């Protein structure tokens, strides 16, 4: 094994990836003063979130958890390995837990992910609207929700399904949910969106 392949990222070297980019095994123990993801072999800082973002994420997680049906379960900010050079940490993820060992698992294998949910923050708009849907469709994630801040702070959920022939995420017949989220995939769930932000 070459010296380059053995190199581990450090707080002093993370901004200068080796040729071919960082792999997850080279960055998994990296301790930085901010949260980050690995995208195409580069460390990408995750932006700070606001109270609205975290409240919507947490309450949406509770709603999904109450509605989940076997073999699916929901989790918050669980890392998902797309490949050895790309490991992301969505706001919410729903996955098939069949065969997974929660005592040893570090990252979810993308093959078991059914839904990714991103709650848009000012610092993540382009990521959540464009980059992440693209890479998630490419690796076969079937469903994606993008949650935006609507009028009076009430969340608006944009629902996308993967088009199998085109290999892209596209809106279904009723793609935008205002005031009430109701869908049957990956399992039936109904959410009063205004309740997500009520104090």
């Amino acid at each position: 094994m070459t010296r380059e392949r053995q190199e581990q990222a450090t707080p002093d070297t993370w901004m200068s990836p080796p040729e071919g980019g960082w792999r997850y095994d080279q960055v998994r123990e990296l301790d930085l003063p901010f949260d980050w993801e690995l995208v195409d072999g580069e460390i990408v800082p995750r932006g700070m979130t606001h109270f609205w973002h975290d409240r919507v994420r947490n309450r949406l997680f509770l709603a999904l958890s109450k509605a989940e049906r076997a073999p699916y379960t929901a989790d918050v900010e669980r890392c998902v390995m797309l490949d050895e050079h790309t490991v992301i940490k969505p706001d919410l993820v729903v996955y098939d837990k069949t065969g997974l060992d929660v005592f040893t698992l570090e990252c979810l294998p993308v093959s078991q992910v059914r839904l990714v949910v991103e709650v848009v923050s000012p610092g993540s708009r382009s990521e959540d609207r464009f980059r992440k849907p693209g890479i998630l469709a490419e690796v076969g994630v079937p469903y994606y929700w993008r949650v935006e801040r609507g009028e009076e702070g009430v969340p608006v959920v944009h629902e996308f399904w993967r088009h199998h022939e085109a290999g892209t995420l596209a809106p279904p017949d009723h793609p935008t949910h205002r005031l009430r989220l109701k869908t049957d995939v990956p399992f039936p769930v109904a959410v009063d969106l205004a309740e997500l932000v009520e104090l």
Side-chain angles (χ1 to χ4, degrees), residues 9-190:
T10 71
D12 295 323
T13 65
W14 68 271
M15 292 186 68
S16 303
E19 185 176 351
W22 295 117
R23 301 184 319 273
Y24 178 67
D25 65 304
Q26 294 174 299
V27 302
R28 58 191 292 270
E29 297 181 5
L30 182 61
D31 185 19
L32 293 174
F34 52 82
D35 203 6
W36 52 270
E37 296 176 316
L38 180 66
V39 179
D40 293 332
E42 294 189 4
I43 302 293
V44 178
R46 298 179 76 214
M48 292 290 291
T49 60
H50 295 157
F51 180 88
W52 181 90
H53 170 282
D54 293 351
R55 188 171 188 83
V56 169
R57 177 201 61 202
N58 294 344
R59 288 192 165 187
L60 195 51
F61 164 68
L62 291 174
L64 285 168
S65 296
K66 289 178 182 177
E68 67 187 30
R69 297 183 182 183
Y72 302 120
T73 191
D75 217 335
V76 175
E77 295 193 351
R78 181 74 261 152
C79 67
V80 177
M81 179 172 283
L82 279 56
D83 58 48
E84 66 176 1
H85 293 289
T86 302
V87 178
I88 62 172
K89 193 182 288 185
D91 287 322
L92 292 167
V93 62
V94 172
Y95 57 96
D96 182 340
K97 59 187 176 183
T98 304
L100 297 180
D101 182 355
V102 297
F103 297 102
T104 60
L105 188 68
E106 286 188 33
C107 294
L108 290 170
V110 71
S111 61
Q112 296 195 229
V113 173
R114 296 296 173 265
L115 167 68
V116 166
V117 181
E118 292 289 2
V119 182
V120 177
S121 293
S124 71
R125 284 188 290 258
S126 58
E127 293 286 308
D128 297 340
R129 292 173 180 169
F130 304 107
R131 185 182 63 80
K132 279 191 178 173
I135 62 175
L136 291 169
E138 186 176 10
V139 296
V141 173
Y143 306 110
Y144 178 75
W145 298 351
R146 190 185 80 233
V147 184
E148 302 266 4
R149 186 169 184 167
E151 292 182 10
E152 298 183 0
V154 176
V156 175
V157 179
H158 301 275
E159 183 180 11
F160 298 88
W161 296 7
R162 187 173 187 272
H163 189 288
H164 295 287
E165 292 180 6
T168 59
L169 284 162
D173 292 338
H174 303 286
T176 302
H177 302 266
R178 292 183 170 84
L179 299 180
R180 185 169 179 80
L181 165 66
K182 186 175 183 180
T183 185
D184 292 325
V185 292
F187 44 74
V189 61

